[in-house]
């Protein structure tokens, strides 16, 4: 009975294990896949779904609203109001009694209004001449244009990071393919050396080195798979997607076009952003200087008054209206105007330095990309020839190894040279594609 119980327990445990495996497999298969066929598809998906893109799109919208807020200061302003007041002591004035037909030389107290006063009405005002407000509107307009280019500059940087990560993923995939090829070579080498070892025609140390080479290939395969996974994780984090990314493109398709000059840095978003940032600082300085100039505004007011004692007698009702112009000429407010003007000057100087720095960085970056592409362009034929010769040497070495006319050291050197040639070729190819895109891409 104990044996039967043990067998049943094991069967149930195995069945439960199989159920868990099937559930886990189904969970993995149910995860959606994001198919990426080329770089354009990746960038389009990123522009529509990546948080970095969605956040950057908000900046111009905020700046546009700020521009409207500043522009509204030049429009007429209408305000409806109402007040309710109680005057326990009403303002009075002494006037000659004879004005009201009284005895000359005597005086009367005249009371202005009743204790309960209710007022409602409307006010309208509109600036006619306000130099600082005009400058502030111009500054807001420049800031809005700056925010548009700030968004494009942020997307440019995001695209550059995506392109670098994408081609790192492609080269990792090619290295993994190379490792699969090396696995076949190492397996065949192990088979040949093991047969020789059994026949006693090979040095035991060479046989052990063959085993180590096979192990190194397996370790390299694990590392290559890890790099592929890490590059995909990097793309996942940048796109913020829960889908499994599948890259279908191969890195080998590239025609190596000729570049005759570096890209124009003045077309970069960062350059335009710096220009409008400097322009906004100029208008801010102008607004601080114009703040001490006279301001003229049109103003009008209508009010309805109801005054009462709440004793059903003596209620007073009347309308009041006026329209006119108001002149404001600021003379002194501590050091407010001077400090504001000095701060605007410093902000302008800071924006000017920042613009010069940005232009220098972008110019140097474009030249560096151009130089790096040209270096890869000049090396690509040499790399192809090197891979071709290394491939032919490896083919001959495999034949000689099978025929027993080549030792392990010589084969291992040829094998290592082939791998270095292939990896150098792939790296140079990835550099060429990357720096060509960076030099010519309209971000």
């Amino acid at each position: 009975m104990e044996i039967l119980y043990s067998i049943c327990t094991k069967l149930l445990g195995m069945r439960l294990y199989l159920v868990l495996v099937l559930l886990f497999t189904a969970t993995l298969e149910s995860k959606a896949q994001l198919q990426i066929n080329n770089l354009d598809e990746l960038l389009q998906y990123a522009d529509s779904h990546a948080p970095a893109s969605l956040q950057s799109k908000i900046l111009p919208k905020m700046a546009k609203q700020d521009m409207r807020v500043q522009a509204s200061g030049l429009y007429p302003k209408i305000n409806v109001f109402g007040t309710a007041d109680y005057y326990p002591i009403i303002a009075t004035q002494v006037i000659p009694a004879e004005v009201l037909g009284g005895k000359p030389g005597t005086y009367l107290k005249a009371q202005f209004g009743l204790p309960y006063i209710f007022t409602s009405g409307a006010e309208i005002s509109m600036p006619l001449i306000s130099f600082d407000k005009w400058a502030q509107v111009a500054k807001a307009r420049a800031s809005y244009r700056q925010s548009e280019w700030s968004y494009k500059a942020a997307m440019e940087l995001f695209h550059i990071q995506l392109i670098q990560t994408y081609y790192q993923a492609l080269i990792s995939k090619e290295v993994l393919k190379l490792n699969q090829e090396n696995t076949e070579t190492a397996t065949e080498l192990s088979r040949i050396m093991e047969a020789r070892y059994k026949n006693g025609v090979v040095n035991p140390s060479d046989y052990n080195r063959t085993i180590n080479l096979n192990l190194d290939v397996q370790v390299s395969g694990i590392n290559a798979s890890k790099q592929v996974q890490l590059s995909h994780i990097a793309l996942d984090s940048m796109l913020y997607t829960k889908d499994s990314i599948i890259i279908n493109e191969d890195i080998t398709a590239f025609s190596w076009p000729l570049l005759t000059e570096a890209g124009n840095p003045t077309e970069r978003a960062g350059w335009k952003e710096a220009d409008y940032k400097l322009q906004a600082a100029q208008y801010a300085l102008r607004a601080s200087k114009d703040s001490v100039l006279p301001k003229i505004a049109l103003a009008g007011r209508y009010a309805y008054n109801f005054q009462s004692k709440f004793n059903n007698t003596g209620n007073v009702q009347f309308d009041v209206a006026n329209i006119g112009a108001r002149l404001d000429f600021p003379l002194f407010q501590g050091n407010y105007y001077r400090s504001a003007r000095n701060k605007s000057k410093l902000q302008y100087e800071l924006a000017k330095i920042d613009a010069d720095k940005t232009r220098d960085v972008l110019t140097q970056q474009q030249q560096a990309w151009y130089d790096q592409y040209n270096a890869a362009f000049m090396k690509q034929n040499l790399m192809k020839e090197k891979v071709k010769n290394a491939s032919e040497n490896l083919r001959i070495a495999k034949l000689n190894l099978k025929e027993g006319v080549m030792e392990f050291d010589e084969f291992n050197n040829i094998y290592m040279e082939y791998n270095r040639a292939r990896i150098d070729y792939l790296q140079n190819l990835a550099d060429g594609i990357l720096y060509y895109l960076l030099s010519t891409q309209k971000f």
Side-chain angles (χ1 to χ4, degrees):
M1 291 295 293
E2 292 181 358
I3 296 175
L4 181 60
Y5 177 77
S6 177
I7 293 174
C8 292
T9 303
K10 290 181 179 179
L11 289 175
L12 289 174
M14 181 62 70
R15 181 174 297 178
L16 179 61
Y17 172 75
L18 291 174
V19 170
L20 291 175
V21 169
L22 290 174
L23 288 174
F24 180 71
T25 305
T27 302
L28 290 178
E29 291 178 352
S30 64
K31 186 177 181 180
Q33 292 182 344
L34 176 61
Q35 300 285 337
I36 301 295
N37 297 314
N38 51 55
L39 179 63
D40 290 338
E41 288 187 7
L42 176 65
L43 297 180
Q44 290 174 6
Y45 181 87
D47 290 347
S48 302
H49 298 86
S53 174
L54 300 178
Q55 290 174 344
S56 299
K57 289 179 180 178
I58 297 176
L59 297 177
K61 296 179 181 179
M62 293 175 59
K64 189 173 184 178
Q65 298 307 315
D66 184 62
M67 180 179 66
R68 290 178 175 176
V69 169
Q70 294 295 335
S72 64
L74 299 177
Y75 298 150
K77 183 170 65 175
I78 300 176
N79 181 43
V80 177
F81 65 91
T83 62
D85 300 289
Y86 170 69
Y87 289 85
I89 300 177
I90 302 175
T92 58
Q93 184 175 358
V94 178
I95 61 174
E98 60 183 339
V99 174
L100 299 176
K103 184 179 179 180
T106 61
Y107 297 90
L108 297 176
K109 290 183 179 180
Q111 180 177 289
F112 296 99
L114 300 177
Y116 296 97
I117 300 176
F118 302 91
T119 306
S120 62
E123 296 175 330
I124 182 172
S125 62
M126 184 179 67
L128 298 178
I129 298 176
S130 183
F131 298 102
D132 59 333
K133 283 187 178 293
W134 297 341
Q136 288 171 1
V137 171
K139 173 186 175 295
R141 190 178 295 112
S143 297
Y144 169 62
R145 294 292 296 159
Q146 175 197 337
S147 68
E148 288 184 320
W149 287 107
S150 296
Y151 159 69
K152 294 179 181 179
M155 291 305 301
E156 175 183 300
L157 179 60
F158 181 55
H159 284 177
I160 290 173
Q161 294 172 344
L162 270 178
I163 292 172
Q164 292 172 334
T165 306
Y166 178 72
Y167 280 100
Q168 184 61 44
L170 289 183
I171 196 172
S172 298
K173 187 171 71 169
E174 292 299 323
V175 171
L176 184 59
K177 290 180 182 179
L178 176 61
N179 184 264
Q180 293 171 353
E181 177 186 328
N182 289 339
T183 300
E184 297 176 0
T185 301
T187 301
E188 179 65 16
L189 174 63
S190 297
R191 186 189 64 80
I192 295 172
M193 298 300 284
E194 184 178 3
R196 291 185 185 179
Y197 179 73
K198 290 180 180 179
N199 295 328
V201 294
V202 68
N203 191 325
S205 63
D206 287 344
Y207 175 67
N208 291 334
R209 292 173 67 190
T210 303
I211 296 176
N212 285 338
L213 177 62
N214 202 341
L215 295 174
D216 287 340
V217 171
Q218 295 180 43
V219 171
S220 297
I222 295 173
N223 291 333
S225 298
K226 180 187 71 174
Q227 289 301 321
V228 171
Q229 293 300 322
L230 289 176
S231 60
H232 281 71
I233 290 173
L235 285 175
D236 287 341
S237 64
M238 296 177 73
L239 299 177
Y240 201 71
T241 177
K242 297 180 180 179
D243 299 338
S244 177
I245 295 180
I246 304 298
I247 299 177
N248 299 321
E249 187 179 9
D250 291 328
I251 199 173
T252 53
F254 187 58
S255 59
W256 289 99
L258 179 65
L259 282 182
T260 57
E261 60 181 2
N264 186 3
T266 62
E267 297 178 357
R268 297 276 298 276
W271 192 290
K272 302 291 186 182
E273 178 192 15
D275 287 344
Y276 281 103
K277 186 176 181 180
L278 182 60
Q279 189 177 105
Q282 288 176 328
Y283 283 120
L285 178 58
R286 175 180 163 186
S288 66
K289 291 180 178 179
D290 292 346
S291 62
V292 297
L293 297 178
K295 304 174 183 63
I296 299 177
L298 182 67
R301 188 175 188 270
Y302 164 80
Y304 166 76
N305 269 263
F306 176 81
Q307 300 182 3
S308 175
K309 289 185 176 180
F310 285 129
N311 56 7
N312 297 323
T313 60
N315 294 337
V316 178
Q317 304 177 46
F318 59 92
D319 296 335
V320 176
N322 76 296
I323 186 171
R326 177 185 176 89
L327 172 65
D328 289 312
F329 198 162
L331 295 178
F332 179 75
Q333 193 177 345
N335 283 324
Y336 172 79
Y337 296 108
R338 177 180 296 178
S339 299
R341 184 167 59 251
N342 291 337
K343 179 182 177 181
S344 297
K345 287 181 180 179
L346 294 175
Q347 289 176 332
Y348 173 71
E349 291 298 326
L350 187 62
K352 188 175 180 181
I353 294 172
D354 187 60
D356 292 338
K357 179 182 176 181
T358 300
R359 291 163 183 163
D360 290 340
V361 169
L362 293 178
T363 301
Q364 294 171 6
Q365 192 177 58
Q366 290 289 155
Q367 187 63 42
W369 289 343
Y370 173 70
D371 293 339
Q372 287 170 309
Y373 175 75
N374 276 342
F377 179 85
M378 290 185 289
K379 290 192 296 184
Q380 51 108 4
N381 287 328
L382 302 176
M383 294 293 182
K384 285 182 180 179
E385 188 67 23
K386 190 174 180 180
V387 170
K388 179 181 177 181
N389 293 335
S391 300
E392 180 63 17
N393 286 342
L394 183 61
R395 185 188 68 82
I396 295 172
K398 288 179 180 179
L399 292 176
N400 291 339
L401 191 67
K402 288 181 180 180
E403 295 173 0
V405 295
M406 179 174 286
E407 298 298 329
F408 176 81
D409 280 337
E410 186 177 359
F411 177 83
N412 187 54
N413 290 335
I414 293 175
Y415 170 79
M416 292 298 180
E417 289 177 359
Y418 169 76
N419 276 273
R420 283 195 298 270
R422 282 288 302 275
I423 292 176
D424 289 345
Y425 170 77
L426 290 173
Q427 187 62 59
N428 188 71
L429 178 62
D431 290 344
I433 297 174
L434 174 64
Y435 292 122
Y436 176 77
L437 287 173
L438 294 179
S439 297
T440 60
Q441 183 86 2
K442 303 300 182 183
F443 297 99

